[in-house]
Amino acid sequence: MQSIELSDIELKTVNELLASLTAKFHSVSDPEFVRQCAVYAHDLPQRLRAELNAFRLEASGGVLSIRGFRIDDVAVGPTPEHWRTHVGQASTLPAEVYFMLCASLLGDPIAWATQQDGRIMHDIFPIKGHEHEQLGSGSEELLTWHTEEAFHPLRADYLGLACLRNHDRVATNFASVDDLELTAEIRDLLGQERYPIKPDRSHLPHHGEDNREMSTRERELLSRSYEWIMAKENKPDRVAILFGDRGAPYLRIDPFFMEDAYAVPDGARAMKAIVAEIDRNIREHVLEPGELLFLDNYKIVHGRVPFTARFDGTDRWLKRLNVARDLRKSRDRRISHDARVIH
């Protein structure tokens, strides 16, 4: 894992930049901030920018930890009960701006129309009633390792997690495709476009919000998005699990939503082999408050260990960003050239 810790001088530079930007913008969703974020990011310390660039160029193992930013546990306020109740809170704005600046050096943060009401930055914490769900808002169940949005052809290149609170030291787990030892036969099978992946539950209509403010066009596109999701739920695309360079492949997998991949003997054999190998290589990492963790979504699978939530304002609280290297790939699913919400 690639790792960097900000020095006191670098942290001073970061905090001065954040003070300037939080005086100008009151939300990381402000369209002007989103447009100019990559420009502001070049005022971050040079060493930090260099590490993010090396990560973008695949010069590391696909995981980057950035530490040294400080979070005041009291100042950020209690962990919310639901992500809809935490919108534009000044208490977390500096941490959110810092997260967005770093992420924008990797690409463009994107949003999903069908996830957390189309917000760019997601809140991740346990929600009462979700304890046994395969969702970031779950708790009691192991969040099975997976490629983020594995089912989607426009899934992010990078996943970012920013830790605000983690009193219980709940571990994030991950594994890299680079560490997998698979036979040539299994690699050949995994490279065939034969494995169906259903959408994860966070995109299904019952997690949406019907009363958010939207234009007629946006509401039409959202309705179409849910139709597309449900069509993939009923008949998912068949994709390759390993793709790209045969000697150093990329990875796309979400076993919890791939039960149909076990329907034929060869597919079942290949699935069992790669699942066992990933299980053998899985590592745990405890995110500390103020830490950013960036994962290469083409090389790394990730999940979360189970824990018991208290729902008393002190539970684990992360922010999440999806980052795309090339916005043009999704142009036909965005309402305008500079929109970030994918329908």
Side-chain angles (χ1 to χ4, degrees), residues 50-306:
E51 292 285 344
L52 283 159
N53 189 56
F55 177 75
R56 183 181 64 85
L57 296 175
E58 301 186 27
S60 65
V63 181
L64 170 62
S65 167
I66 303 172
R67 298 191 180 212
F69 186 74
R70 291 165 193 162
I71 298 287
D72 185 326
D73 189 67
V74 175
V76 297
T79 303
E81 295 181 358
H82 198 284
W83 49 261
R84 289 196 186 103
T85 65
H86 189 82
V87 182
Q89 298 293 318
S91 61
T92 59
L93 185 59
E96 293 175 7
V97 171
Y98 168 59
F99 188 21
M100 279 280 286
L101 292 175
C102 291
S104 71
L105 291 171
L106 300 176
D108 290 288
I110 57 171
W112 299 101
T114 51
Q115 196 175 62
Q116 292 208 12
D117 289 355
R119 298 177 191 177
I120 287 179
M121 186 167 291
H122 295 170
D123 283 289
I124 306 297
F125 43 70
I127 294 177
K128 192 172 290 187
H130 292 186
E131 290 90 336
H132 300 286
E133 296 274 359
Q134 279 292 307
L135 297 168
S137 54
S139 51
E140 298 284 348
E141 297 290 331
L142 173 74
L143 181 60
T144 308
W145 52 256
H146 58 284
T147 300
E148 192 75 356
E149 268 75 61
F151 75 97
H152 207 294
L154 298 173
R155 65 198 175 282
D157 292 275
Y158 307 105
L159 176 73
L161 300 173
C163 181
L164 298 183
R165 174 176 291 132
N166 193 8
H167 292 174
D168 300 307
R169 299 186 63 78
V170 178
T172 298
N173 52 31
F174 62 86
S176 172
V177 66
D178 292 342
D179 296 330
L180 306 185
E181 297 179 5
L182 300 164
T183 67
E185 180 198 11
I186 293 297
R187 286 178 180 268
D188 286 341
L189 287 171
L190 293 170
Q192 297 172 12
E193 294 183 348
R194 60 187 296 176
Y195 304 92
I197 307 179
K198 292 183 178 181
D200 71 71
R201 300 296 179 255
S202 65
H203 289 273
L204 298 184
H206 65 271
H207 289 293
E209 177 74 10
D210 292 334
N211 59 5
R212 58 177 133 159
E213 292 184 11
M214 287 184 286
S215 67
T216 301
R217 175 61 175 159
E218 287 172 325
R219 193 166 291 281
E220 288 175 352
L221 287 173
L222 180 60
S223 176
R224 192 180 305 169
S225 296
Y226 282 130
E227 289 177 6
W228 185 88
I229 291 288
M230 294 312 297
K232 297 303 179 188
E233 170 74 8
N234 296 322
K235 189 177 181 181
D237 294 334
R238 294 182 177 272
V239 301
I241 292 174
L242 298 182
F243 61 99
D245 178 29
R246 180 180 172 83
Y250 293 135
L251 175 67
R252 177 183 187 179
I253 189 171
D254 192 346
F256 193 87
F257 299 107
M258 297 178 69
E259 62 271 17
D260 292 345
Y262 292 87
V264 297
D266 280 351
R269 187 155 52 88
M271 282 292 296
K272 289 176 181 177
I274 192 168
V275 167
E277 189 61 12
I278 291 175
D279 283 342
R280 188 178 71 84
N281 283 279
I282 207 78
R283 296 174 56 188
E284 293 187 355
H285 180 75
V286 176
L287 282 159
E288 303 286 350
E291 181 179 3
L292 305 184
L293 190 71
F294 288 104
L295 307 172
D296 187 328
N297 199 41
Y298 275 51
K299 300 179 72 174
I300 303 294
V301 293
H302 70 283
R304 187 216 63 237
V305 302

Side-chain angles (χ1 to χ4, degrees), residues 289-324:
E291 181 179 3
L292 305 184
L293 190 71
F294 288 104
L295 307 172
D296 187 328
N297 199 41
Y298 275 51
K299 300 179 72 174
I300 303 294
V301 293
H302 70 283
R304 187 216 63 237
V305 302
F307 65 101
T308 300
R310 290 179 295 274
F311 305 111
D312 63 354
T314 66
D315 285 317
R316 175 181 183 259
W317 184 5
L318 309 181
K319 295 286 182 174
R320 179 176 67 195
L321 286 172
N322 288 284
V323 183

